[in-house]
Amino acid sequence: MLQWLNLNGRNKFLPFMGMIIAVLAQSGSFVVIKLATKDGINKYVMVVYSMALSTILLLPIAFFNNRSQCPPLSFSLLGSFFFLALLGTSGQIMTYGGIELSSPTLASAMLNLIPAFTFVLALIFRIEKINWRHYSSQAKVIGTIASMGGAFVVILYKGPPLFNIHSSSSYNSLQFSPNFNWILGGLLNAGDSLVSSMWYIYQVSLTKKYPAVIVIVFFQVLFTTIQSGVYALIVVRDPSAWELKLDMGLVVIFYQAIGAIGVRYCLQTWCVQRAGPLFCAMFKPIGIIFTVFLGFIFLGDDFYLGRNVGSASKHLFERIFG
């Protein structure tokens, strides 16, 4: 990973630190979402309130942002912002559903797929090229295969717990998870990884057309609020689910609005603009390190062999070939 710090003569230290902060904010998001859903807070309502609050907080920053060197807003640009938001909304819905069905650790493990998906999409859109004679190109292909194979291991195979703080139970040497919710949650999180990769790729062209990062993030969050609000009104039938109370849900909404949405979106968009989509996607697997420990401490999640073997495969190839 450190080899990217000085790629093509450009200083990558600030994007490096920015992505570390963004990944840490996302890992904390996984944990607080699980805490909130355990308390019975509706995940879709939580998305709407978090996005709405973040929109309000970003509004004055975007309004006073220096846009003198940016092209004027047009219907085409607004349509691009809307599509970018649609990708984000789809990912949010899949993430929240996946975490509720499984765990934050599994959701974070599925982030291993983002570099693989981003690399494949970058090839399709000719942002990246493969030279089969080059060692680095071979490593990227092997790492992509390892990421996808590791994802299936994480979803289907638990194995014995490495650290178990719950009551003991028997585990076979080869134990596949019979829990359909776990598998479905893993697939939803894998879908979020694919959408996130599309989000990275699309941001490249968008930041070239309109380089004002804060404005892009503001309109993305604004449109996401509208989209998620429409979806929540359709699927949430209980009016009481929209009531705000002084409980964990309010804490989660503030954290999501400020850290997981405002700060993370701005950092990710800026880093994509400065360093490219593949650079940013490579940081996603680091999130499992943060999430495993946060989940273990705050949620009491066990450490399972299968989860760690699957998620470690991508890191192994990055260390050897990256």
Side-chain angles (χ1 to χ4, degrees), residues 7 15 23 30 57 64 67 70 79 90 171 177 201 208 252 257 270 296 299 307:
L7 185 63
V23 170
F30 288 154
L57 295 175
F64 290 108
R67 300 191 298 273
C70 297
S90 303
Y171 289 88
S177 172
I201 295 296
K208 288 179 180 178
V252 172
W270 181 80
F296 181 75
L299 299 176
R307 299 180 195 174

Side-chain angles (χ1 to χ4, degrees), residues 205-220:
S205 62
L206 189 55
T207 53
K208 288 179 180 178
K209 292 190 297 183
Y210 200 87
V213 170
I214 297 295
V215 178
I216 292 176
V217 173
F218 167 74
F219 278 106
Q220 180 186 352

